[in-house]
Coordinates of all heavy atoms in Angstrom, one line a residue:
M1 N 93.9 140.2 -91.7 CA 93.1 141.3 -92.3 C 91.6 141.1 -92.1 O 91.1 140.0 -92.3 CB 93.5 141.4 -93.8 CG 92.8 142.6 -94.5 SD 93.1 142.7 -96.3 CE 94.8 142.5 -96.4
S2 N 91.0 142.2 -91.7 CA 89.5 142.1 -91.5 C 88.7 141.9 -92.8 O 89.2 142.2 -93.8 CB 89.0 143.3 -90.7 OG 89.0 144.4 -91.6
S3 N 87.5 141.4 -92.6 CA 86.7 141.2 -93.8 C 86.3 142.5 -94.5 O 86.2 142.5 -95.7 CB 85.4 140.4 -93.4 OG 84.7 141.2 -92.5
I4 N 86.2 143.5 -93.7 CA 85.9 144.8 -94.4 C 87.0 145.3 -95.2 O 86.9 145.9 -96.3 CB 85.4 145.9 -93.3 CG1 84.8 147.1 -94.0 CG2 86.5 146.3 -92.4 CD1 83.9 147.9 -93.2
K5 N 88.3 145.1 -94.7 CA 89.4 145.5 -95.5 C 89.5 144.7 -96.8 O 89.8 145.3 -97.8 CB 90.7 145.4 -94.6 CG 90.8 146.4 -93.5 CD 92.1 146.2 -92.8 CE 92.2 147.2 -91.6 NZ 93.5 147.0 -90.9
R6 N 89.3 143.4 -96.7 CA 89.3 142.6 -97.9 C 88.3 143.1 -98.9 O 88.5 143.2 -100.1 CB 89.1 141.1 -97.5 CG 90.3 140.5 -97.0 CD 90.2 139.0 -96.9 NE 89.2 138.5 -95.9 CZ 89.4 138.4 -94.6 NH1 90.6 138.6 -94.1 NH2 88.5 138.0 -93.8
E7 N 87.1 143.4 -98.4 CA 86.0 143.8 -99.3 C 86.4 145.2 -99.9 O 86.1 145.4 -101.1 CB 84.7 143.9 -98.5 CG 83.5 144.2 -99.4 CD 82.2 144.2 -98.6 OE1 82.2 143.6 -97.5 OE2 81.2 144.8 -99.1
L8 N 86.9 146.1 -99.1 CA 87.4 147.4 -99.7 C 88.4 147.2 -100.8 O 88.3 147.8 -101.9 CB 87.9 148.3 -98.6 CG 86.9 149.0 -97.7 CD1 87.6 149.6 -96.5 CD2 86.1 150.0 -98.5
I9 N 89.4 146.4 -100.5 CA 90.4 146.1 -101.5 C 89.9 145.5 -102.8 O 90.2 146.0 -103.9 CB 91.5 145.2 -100.9 CG1 92.3 146.0 -99.9 CG2 92.5 144.7 -102.0 CD1 93.3 145.2 -99.0
K10 N 89.0 144.5 -102.7 CA 88.4 143.9 -103.9 C 87.6 145.0 -104.6 O 87.6 145.1 -105.9 CB 87.4 142.8 -103.5 CG 88.1 141.5 -103.0 CD 87.1 140.5 -102.7 CE 87.7 139.2 -102.1 NZ 86.8 138.2 -101.7
S11 N 86.8 145.8 -103.9 CA 86.0 146.8 -104.6 C 86.8 147.9 -105.3 O 86.5 148.3 -106.4 CB 85.1 147.5 -103.6 OG 84.2 146.6 -103.0
I12 N 87.9 148.3 -104.6 CA 88.8 149.3 -105.2 C 89.5 148.7 -106.5 O 89.7 149.4 -107.5 CB 89.8 149.8 -104.2 CG1 89.0 150.6 -103.2 CG2 90.9 150.7 -104.8 CD1 89.8 151.0 -101.9
N13 N 89.9 147.5 -106.4 CA 90.6 146.8 -107.5 C 89.7 146.7 -108.7 O 90.2 146.7 -109.9 CB 91.1 145.4 -107.1 CG 92.4 145.5 -106.3 OD1 93.1 146.5 -106.3 ND2 92.6 144.5 -105.5
R14 N 88.4 146.6 -108.6 CA 87.5 146.5 -109.7 C 87.2 147.9 -110.4 O 86.7 148.0 -111.5 CB 86.1 146.0 -109.2 CG 86.2 144.5 -108.9 CD 84.8 143.9 -108.8 NE 84.0 144.5 -107.7 CZ 83.9 144.0 -106.4 NH1 84.4 142.8 -106.2 NH2 83.2 144.6 -105.5
L15 N 87.6 149.0 -109.7 CA 87.4 150.3 -110.3 C 88.5 150.7 -111.3 O 89.6 150.2 -111.1 CB 87.4 151.4 -109.1 CG 86.3 151.2 -108.1 CD1 86.6 152.2 -107.0 CD2 84.9 151.4 -108.7
D16 N 88.2 151.6 -112.2 CA 89.2 152.1 -113.1 C 90.1 153.1 -112.4 O 89.8 153.5 -111.2 CB 88.6 152.6 -114.4 CG 87.7 153.8 -114.1 OD1 88.0 154.6 -113.2 OD2 86.7 154.0 -114.9
A17 N 91.2 153.5 -113.0 CA 92.2 154.4 -112.4 C 91.6 155.7 -111.9 O 91.9 156.2 -110.8 CB 93.3 154.6 -113.3
E18 N 90.7 156.2 -112.7 CA 90.0 157.5 -112.3 C 89.2 157.4 -111.1 O 89.2 158.2 -110.2 CB 89.2 158.0 -113.5 CG 88.5 159.4 -113.2 CD 87.7 159.8 -114.4 OE1 87.9 159.4 -115.6 OE2 86.8 160.7 -114.2
K19 N 88.4 156.3 -111.0 CA 87.6 156.1 -109.8 C 88.4 155.8 -108.6 O 88.1 156.2 -107.5 CB 86.6 154.9 -110.1 CG 85.6 155.2 -111.2 CD 84.6 156.1 -110.7 CE 83.5 156.2 -111.8 NZ 82.6 157.3 -111.6
Q20 N 89.5 155.1 -108.8 CA 90.4 154.8 -107.7 C 91.0 156.1 -107.1 O 91.2 156.3 -105.9 CB 91.6 153.9 -108.1 CG 91.1 152.5 -108.3 CD 92.2 151.5 -108.7 OE1 93.4 152.0 -108.9 NE2 91.9 150.3 -108.8
E21 N 91.3 157.0 -108.0 CA 91.8 158.4 -107.6 C 90.8 159.1 -106.8 O 91.1 159.8 -105.8 CB 92.2 159.2 -108.8 CG 93.0 160.4 -108.5 CD 94.4 160.2 -107.9 OE1 95.0 159.2 -108.3 OE2 94.8 161.0 -107.1
Q22 N 89.5 159.0 -107.2 CA 88.4 159.6 -106.4 C 88.3 159.0 -105.1 O 88.1 159.8 -104.1 CB 87.1 159.5 -107.2 CG 87.1 160.3 -108.5 CD 85.8 160.1 -109.3 OE1 85.0 159.2 -108.9 NE2 85.6 160.9 -110.3
V23 N 88.4 157.7 -105.0 CA 88.4 157.1 -103.7 C 89.5 157.5 -102.8 O 89.3 157.9 -101.6 CB 88.4 155.5 -103.8 CG1 88.6 154.8 -102.5 CG2 87.1 155.0 -104.5
L24 N 90.7 157.6 -103.3 CA 91.8 158.1 -102.6 C 91.6 159.5 -102.1 O 91.9 159.8 -100.9 CB 93.1 158.0 -103.5 CG 94.4 158.4 -102.8 CD1 94.7 157.6 -101.6 CD2 95.5 158.3 -103.8
E25 N 91.1 160.4 -102.9 CA 90.8 161.8 -102.5 C 89.8 161.8 -101.4 O 89.9 162.6 -100.4 CB 90.3 162.6 -103.7 CG 91.4 163.1 -104.6 CD 92.5 163.9 -103.8 OE1 92.1 164.9 -103.1 OE2 93.7 163.7 -104.0
F26 N 88.8 160.9 -101.5 CA 87.8 160.9 -100.4 C 88.4 160.4 -99.1 O 88.1 161.0 -98.1 CB 86.7 159.9 -100.9 CG 85.6 159.6 -99.8 CD1 84.7 160.6 -99.5 CD2 85.6 158.4 -99.2 CE1 83.7 160.3 -98.5 CE2 84.6 158.1 -98.2 CZ 83.7 159.1 -97.9
V27 N 89.2 159.4 -99.2 CA 89.9 158.9 -97.9 C 90.7 160.0 -97.3 O 90.8 160.2 -96.1 CB 90.7 157.7 -98.2 CG1 91.6 157.3 -97.1 CG2 89.8 156.5 -98.6
R28 N 91.5 160.8 -98.2 CA 92.3 161.9 -97.7 C 91.4 162.9 -97.0 O 91.8 163.5 -95.9 CB 93.1 162.5 -98.8 CG 94.2 161.6 -99.2 CD 95.0 162.2 -100.4 NE 96.1 161.4 -100.8 CZ 96.6 161.3 -102.0 NH1 96.1 162.1 -102.9 NH2 97.6 160.5 -102.3
R29 N 90.3 163.3 -97.5 CA 89.4 164.2 -96.9 C 88.9 163.7 -95.6 O 88.8 164.5 -94.6 CB 88.2 164.6 -97.8 CG 88.5 165.6 -98.9 CD 87.3 166.2 -99.5 NE 86.3 165.2 -99.9 CZ 86.2 164.6 -101.1 NH1 87.0 165.0 -102.1 NH2 85.3 163.8 -101.4
I30 N 88.6 162.5 -95.5 CA 88.1 161.9 -94.2 C 89.2 162.0 -93.2 O 89.0 162.3 -92.0 CB 87.6 160.4 -94.4 CG1 86.4 160.4 -95.2 CG2 87.5 159.7 -93.1 CD1 86.0 159.0 -95.6
E31 N 90.4 161.6 -93.6 CA 91.5 161.7 -92.6 C 91.8 163.1 -92.1 O 92.1 163.3 -91.0 CB 92.8 161.1 -93.3 CG 92.8 159.6 -93.5 CD 94.0 159.1 -94.3 OE1 94.6 159.9 -95.0 OE2 94.2 157.9 -94.2
Q32 N 91.7 164.1 -93.0 CA 91.9 165.5 -92.6 C 90.9 165.9 -91.7 O 91.1 166.7 -90.7 CB 92.0 166.4 -93.9 CG 93.3 166.2 -94.7 CD 93.2 167.0 -95.9 OE1 92.2 167.6 -96.3 NE2 94.4 167.1 -96.6
S33 N 89.6 165.6 -91.9 CA 88.5 166.1 -91.1 C 88.5 165.4 -89.7 O 88.0 166.0 -88.8 CB 87.2 165.8 -91.8 OG 86.9 164.5 -91.9
S34 N 89.1 164.2 -89.6 CA 89.2 163.6 -88.3 C 90.4 163.8 -87.5 O 90.5 163.5 -86.4 CB 89.0 162.1 -88.5 OG 90.1 161.5 -89.2
A35 N 91.4 164.5 -88.1 CA 92.6 164.8 -87.4 C 92.4 165.9 -86.4 O 91.6 166.8 -86.6 CB 93.7 165.3 -88.4
P36 N 92.9 165.7 -85.2 CA 92.7 166.7 -84.2 C 93.3 168.1 -84.5 O 94.4 168.2 -85.1 CB 93.4 166.2 -82.9 CG 94.3 165.1 -83.4 CD 93.8 164.7 -84.8
K37 N 92.6 169.1 -84.3 CA 93.0 170.5 -84.6 C 94.0 170.9 -83.5 O 93.9 170.6 -82.4 CB 91.8 171.5 -84.5 CG 92.2 172.9 -84.9 CD 91.0 173.8 -84.8 CE 91.2 175.2 -85.1 NZ 92.5 175.8 -84.9
N38 N 95.1 171.6 -84.0 CA 96.0 172.2 -83.0 C 95.6 173.6 -82.7 O 95.5 174.5 -83.5 CB 97.4 172.2 -83.7 CG 98.0 170.8 -83.9 OD1 97.8 170.0 -83.1 ND2 98.7 170.6 -85.0
Y39 N 95.3 173.8 -81.4 CA 94.8 175.0 -80.9 C 95.9 175.8 -80.3 O 96.8 175.3 -79.7 CB 93.7 174.8 -79.8 CG 92.4 174.3 -80.3 CD1 92.2 172.9 -80.3 CD2 91.4 175.1 -80.7 CE1 91.0 172.4 -80.8 CE2 90.2 174.6 -81.2 CZ 90.0 173.3 -81.2 OH 88.8 172.8 -81.6
T40 N 95.9 177.1 -80.5 CA 96.8 178.0 -79.7 C 96.2 178.2 -78.3 O 95.0 177.9 -78.1 CB 97.0 179.4 -80.4 OG1 95.7 180.1 -80.3 CG2 97.4 179.3 -81.8
A41 N 97.0 178.6 -77.4 CA 96.5 178.8 -76.0 C 95.4 179.8 -76.1 O 94.4 179.7 -75.4 CB 97.7 179.3 -75.1
R42 N 95.5 180.8 -76.9 CA 94.5 181.9 -77.0 C 93.1 181.3 -77.5 O 92.1 181.6 -77.0 CB 95.0 183.0 -77.9 CG 94.2 184.3 -77.8 CD 94.9 185.4 -78.5 NE 96.1 185.6 -77.6 CZ 96.7 186.7 -77.4 NH1 96.2 187.8 -78.0 NH2 97.8 186.8 -76.7
E43 N 93.2 180.4 -78.5 CA 92.0 179.8 -79.1 C 91.4 178.9 -78.0 O 90.2 178.9 -77.9 CB 92.4 179.0 -80.3 CG 92.8 179.8 -81.5 CD 93.3 178.9 -82.7 OE1 93.9 177.9 -82.4 OE2 93.0 179.3 -83.8
L44 N 92.2 178.1 -77.3 CA 91.6 177.3 -76.3 C 90.9 178.1 -75.2 O 89.8 177.7 -74.8 CB 92.8 176.5 -75.6 CG 93.1 175.2 -76.2 CD1 94.3 174.6 -75.5 CD2 92.0 174.2 -76.1
M45 N 91.5 179.2 -74.8 CA 90.9 180.0 -73.7 C 89.5 180.6 -74.2 O 88.7 181.0 -73.3 CB 91.8 181.1 -73.3 CG 93.1 180.5 -72.6 SD 92.7 179.3 -71.3 CE 91.9 180.4 -70.1
R46 N 89.3 180.8 -75.5 CA 88.1 181.3 -76.0 C 86.9 180.3 -76.0 O 85.8 180.7 -76.1 CB 88.3 181.9 -77.4 CG 89.1 183.1 -77.4 CD 89.2 183.7 -78.8 NE 90.1 184.8 -78.9 CZ 91.0 185.1 -79.8 NH1 91.1 184.2 -80.8 NH2 91.7 186.1 -79.8
L47 N 87.3 179.0 -75.9 CA 86.3 178.0 -76.0 C 85.5 177.9 -74.6 O 86.1 178.2 -73.6 CB 86.9 176.6 -76.3 CG 87.6 176.5 -77.6 CD1 88.4 175.2 -77.7 CD2 86.6 176.6 -78.8
P48 N 84.3 177.4 -74.7 CA 83.6 177.1 -73.4 C 84.4 176.1 -72.6 O 85.1 175.3 -73.1 CB 82.3 176.5 -73.9 CG 82.1 176.9 -75.3 CD 83.5 177.1 -75.9
F49 N 84.2 176.3 -71.3 CA 85.0 175.5 -70.3 C 84.9 174.0 -70.6 O 85.9 173.3 -70.6 CB 84.5 175.8 -68.9 CG 85.2 175.0 -67.8 CD1 86.4 175.3 -67.4 CD2 84.5 173.9 -67.3 CE1 87.1 174.6 -66.4 CE2 85.2 173.1 -66.3 CZ 86.4 173.5 -65.9
E50 N 83.7 173.4 -70.8 CA 83.5 172.0 -71.0 C 84.2 171.5 -72.3 O 84.9 170.5 -72.3 CB 82.1 171.6 -71.0 CG 81.5 171.4 -69.6 CD 80.3 172.3 -69.4 OE1 79.6 172.6 -70.4 OE2 79.9 172.5 -68.2
E51 N 84.1 172.3 -73.4 CA 84.7 171.9 -74.6 C 86.2 172.0 -74.5 O 86.9 171.1 -75.0 CB 84.2 172.9 -75.7 CG 84.7 172.5 -77.1 CD 84.2 173.4 -78.2 OE1 83.3 174.2 -77.9 OE2 84.7 173.3 -79.3
R52 N 86.7 173.0 -73.8 CA 88.2 173.1 -73.6 C 88.7 171.9 -72.8 O 89.7 171.4 -73.2 CB 88.4 174.4 -72.9 CG 89.9 174.7 -72.7 CD 90.1 176.1 -72.1 NE 89.5 176.3 -70.8 CZ 88.7 177.3 -70.5 NH1 88.4 178.3 -71.4 NH2 88.2 177.4 -69.3
N53 N 88.0 171.5 -71.8 CA 88.4 170.4 -71.0 C 88.4 169.1 -71.8 O 89.3 168.3 -71.6 CB 87.6 170.3 -69.7 CG 88.0 171.2 -68.6 OD1 89.1 171.8 -68.7 ND2 87.2 171.2 -67.6
K54 N 87.4 168.9 -72.6 CA 87.4 167.7 -73.5 C 88.6 167.6 -74.4 O 89.3 166.6 -74.5 CB 86.1 167.7 -74.3 CG 84.9 167.3 -73.5 CD 83.7 167.3 -74.5 CE 82.4 167.1 -73.7 NZ 81.2 167.2 -74.6
I55 N 89.0 168.8 -75.0 CA 90.1 168.8 -75.9 C 91.4 168.6 -75.1 O 92.3 167.8 -75.5 CB 90.2 170.2 -76.6 CG1 89.0 170.3 -77.5 CG2 91.5 170.4 -77.3 CD1 88.8 171.7 -78.1
V56 N 91.6 169.2 -73.9 CA 92.8 169.0 -73.1 C 92.9 167.6 -72.7 O 94.0 167.0 -72.8 CB 92.8 170.0 -71.9 CG1 93.9 169.7 -71.0 CG2 92.9 171.4 -72.5
I57 N 91.8 167.0 -72.2 CA 91.9 165.6 -71.7 C 92.2 164.6 -72.9 O 93.0 163.7 -72.7 CB 90.5 165.2 -71.1 CG1 90.4 165.9 -69.8 CG2 90.4 163.7 -70.9 CD1 89.0 165.8 -69.2
A58 N 91.6 164.8 -74.1 CA 91.9 164.0 -75.2 C 93.4 164.1 -75.6 O 94.1 163.2 -75.9 CB 91.0 164.4 -76.4
S59 N 93.9 165.3 -75.6 CA 95.4 165.6 -75.9 C 96.3 164.9 -74.9 O 97.3 164.3 -75.3 CB 95.7 167.1 -75.9 OG 95.0 167.7 -77.0
L60 N 95.9 165.0 -73.6 CA 96.7 164.3 -72.6 C 96.7 162.8 -72.8 O 97.7 162.1 -72.6 CB 96.2 164.7 -71.2 CG 96.6 166.1 -70.8 CD1 95.8 166.5 -69.5 CD2 98.1 166.3 -70.6
Q61 N 95.5 162.2 -73.1 CA 95.4 160.8 -73.3 C 96.3 160.4 -74.5 O 96.9 159.3 -74.5 CB 94.0 160.4 -73.5 CG 93.2 160.5 -72.2 CD 91.7 160.2 -72.4 OE1 91.2 160.4 -73.5 NE2 91.0 159.9 -71.3
R62 N 96.2 161.1 -75.6 CA 97.1 160.8 -76.8 C 98.5 160.9 -76.4 O 99.3 160.1 -76.9 CB 96.7 161.7 -77.9 CG 95.5 161.4 -78.7 CD 95.4 162.2 -80.0 NE 95.6 163.6 -79.9 CZ 94.6 164.5 -79.6 NH1 93.4 164.1 -79.4 NH2 94.9 165.7 -79.5
S63 N 98.9 161.8 -75.6 CA 100.3 162.0 -75.3 C 100.9 160.9 -74.4 O 102.1 160.8 -74.3 CB 100.6 163.4 -74.7 OG 100.0 163.5 -73.4
Q64 N 100.0 160.2 -73.7 CA 100.5 159.1 -72.8 C 101.3 158.1 -73.6 O 102.1 157.4 -73.0 CB 99.3 158.5 -72.1 CG 98.8 159.3 -71.0 CD 97.6 158.7 -70.3 OE1 97.1 157.7 -70.7 NE2 97.2 159.3 -69.2
D65 N 101.0 157.9 -74.9 CA 101.7 156.9 -75.7 C 103.0 157.4 -76.3 O 103.7 156.6 -76.9 CB 100.8 156.4 -76.8 CG 99.5 155.7 -76.3 OD1 99.6 155.2 -75.2 OD2 98.5 155.8 -77.0
E66 N 103.3 158.7 -76.1 CA 104.5 159.3 -76.7 C 105.7 159.1 -75.8 O 105.5 159.1 -74.5 CB 104.3 160.7 -77.0 CG 103.2 161.0 -78.0 CD 103.0 162.5 -78.3 OE1 103.8 163.3 -77.8 OE2 102.0 162.8 -78.9
D67 N 106.8 158.9 -76.4 CA 108.0 158.8 -75.6 C 108.6 160.2 -75.5 O 109.0 160.8 -76.4 CB 109.0 157.9 -76.4 CG 110.3 157.6 -75.5 OD1 110.2 157.7 -74.3 OD2 111.3 157.2 -76.2
V68 N 108.7 160.7 -74.2 CA 109.2 162.0 -74.0 C 110.4 162.0 -73.2 O 110.6 161.0 -72.4 CB 108.1 162.9 -73.3 CG1 106.9 163.1 -74.2 CG2 107.7 162.3 -72.0
E69 N 111.2 163.0 -73.3 CA 112.5 163.1 -72.6 C 112.3 164.1 -71.5 O 111.9 165.3 -71.8 CB 113.6 163.4 -73.5 CG 115.0 163.5 -72.8 CD 116.1 163.8 -73.7 OE1 116.0 163.5 -74.9 OE2 117.1 164.4 -73.3
L70 N 112.6 163.8 -70.3 CA 112.5 164.7 -69.2 C 113.8 165.4 -69.0 O 114.9 164.7 -69.1 CB 112.0 164.0 -67.9 CG 110.7 163.3 -68.0 CD1 110.4 162.6 -66.7 CD2 109.6 164.4 -68.2
F71 N 113.8 166.6 -68.6 CA 115.1 167.3 -68.3 C 114.8 168.3 -67.2 O 113.7 168.7 -66.9 CB 115.6 168.0 -69.6 CG 114.7 169.1 -70.1 CD1 114.9 170.4 -69.7 CD2 113.6 168.8 -70.9 CE1 114.0 171.4 -70.1 CE2 112.8 169.8 -71.4 CZ 113.0 171.1 -71.0
D72 N 115.9 168.7 -66.5 CA 115.8 169.7 -65.5 C 116.0 171.1 -66.1 O 116.9 171.3 -66.8 CB 116.9 169.5 -64.4 CG 116.7 168.2 -63.7 OD1 115.5 167.8 -63.4 OD2 117.7 167.5 -63.3
A73 N 115.1 171.9 -65.7 CA 115.1 173.3 -66.3 C 116.2 174.1 -65.6 O 116.8 175.0 -66.1 CB 113.8 174.0 -66.1
Y74 N 116.6 173.7 -64.3 CA 117.6 174.4 -63.6 C 118.6 173.4 -63.0 O 118.2 172.2 -62.7 CB 117.0 175.1 -62.4 CG 115.9 176.2 -62.8 CD1 114.6 175.9 -62.7 CD2 116.3 177.4 -63.2 CE1 113.6 176.8 -63.1 CE2 115.4 178.3 -63.6 CZ 114.1 178.0 -63.6 OH 113.1 179.0 -64.0
S75 N 119.8 173.8 -62.9 CA 120.8 172.9 -62.3 C 121.1 173.3 -60.9 O 120.6 174.4 -60.4 CB 122.1 173.0 -63.1 OG 122.7 174.2 -63.0
E76 N 121.9 172.5 -60.2 CA 122.2 172.9 -58.8 C 122.9 174.2 -58.7 O 122.8 175.0 -57.8 CB 123.1 171.8 -58.2 CG 122.3 170.5 -57.9 CD 121.3 170.6 -56.9 OE1 121.5 171.3 -55.9 OE2 120.2 169.9 -57.0
A77 N 123.7 174.5 -59.7 CA 124.5 175.8 -59.7 C 123.5 177.0 -59.7 O 123.9 178.1 -59.2 CB 125.4 175.8 -60.9
D78 N 122.4 176.9 -60.3 CA 121.4 178.0 -60.3 C 120.9 178.4 -58.9 O 120.4 179.5 -58.7 CB 120.2 177.6 -61.2 CG 120.6 177.5 -62.7 OD1 121.5 178.2 -63.1 OD2 119.9 176.6 -63.3
F79 N 121.0 177.4 -58.0 CA 120.6 177.7 -56.6 C 121.7 177.8 -55.6 O 121.5 177.6 -54.4 CB 119.6 176.5 -56.2 CG 118.4 176.5 -57.1 CD1 118.3 175.5 -58.1 CD2 117.4 177.4 -56.9 CE1 117.2 175.4 -58.9 CE2 116.2 177.3 -57.7 CZ 116.1 176.4 -58.7
D80 N 122.9 178.1 -56.1 CA 124.0 178.2 -55.2 C 123.8 179.5 -54.3 O 123.6 180.6 -54.8 CB 125.3 178.4 -56.1 CG 126.6 178.3 -55.2 OD1 126.5 177.9 -54.0 OD2 127.6 178.7 -55.8
D81 N 123.9 179.2 -53.0 CA 123.6 180.3 -52.0 C 124.9 181.2 -51.8 O 124.8 182.0 -50.9 CB 123.1 179.7 -50.7 CG 121.7 179.1 -50.9 OD1 121.0 179.6 -51.8 OD2 121.4 178.2 -50.2
N82 N 126.0 181.0 -52.4 CA 127.2 181.8 -52.1 C 127.0 183.2 -52.6 O 126.5 183.7 -53.3 CB 128.4 181.1 -52.8 CG 128.7 179.8 -52.1 OD1 128.4 179.6 -50.9 ND2 129.4 179.0 -52.8

């Protein structure tokens, strides 16, 4: 555990229950504000080109860590020439 985490835990433990609740609410607000926004395709297209590209690149980078399943949209039977 890092020294900052230990210091935070010590500081929070010294607070009364009401103050701890305030700290928890503050942390939740920080987490919400830093969460990436989910854009619709229409919202993305309204953004300036550079901003849109930054969002798309960041999303692609985050998705590299995800385990995705690939599938074929069409089977061989869909292309039967008979």
Side-chain angles (χ1 to χ4, degrees):
M1 182 183 313
S2 70
S3 61
I4 193 161
K5 287 181 183 179
R6 282 192 291 276
E7 188 175 341
L8 282 168
I9 290 169
K10 285 180 186 177
S11 297
I12 292 169
N13 284 335
R14 287 192 298 260
L15 298 174
D16 61 35
E18 183 180 338
K19 297 286 187 191
Q20 288 179 356
E21 191 66 35
Q22 290 175 355
V23 170
L24 182 58
E25 281 302 312
F26 174 72
V27 170
R28 287 179 178 152
R29 280 197 310 269
I30 291 173
E31 289 173 340
Q32 288 174 352
S33 67
S34 63
K37 181 182 181 331
N38 292 323
Y39 291 91
T40 65
R42 196 166 293 214
E43 289 172 327
L44 271 174
M45 295 309 292
R46 288 184 185 138
L47 295 173
F49 178 79
E50 278 126 21
E51 186 177 350
R52 183 172 61 231
N53 276 352
K54 285 179 187 177
I55 292 168
V56 170
I57 289 169
S59 295
L60 288 172
Q61 288 173 340
R62 281 193 309 274
S63 70
Q64 286 180 348
D65 296 333
E66 295 178 11
D67 187 23
V68 295
E69 182 177 333
L70 300 176
F71 64 94
D72 292 325
Y74 301 99
S75 69
E76 290 294 323
D78 293 327
F79 297 103
D80 190 11
D81 292 333
N82 293 334

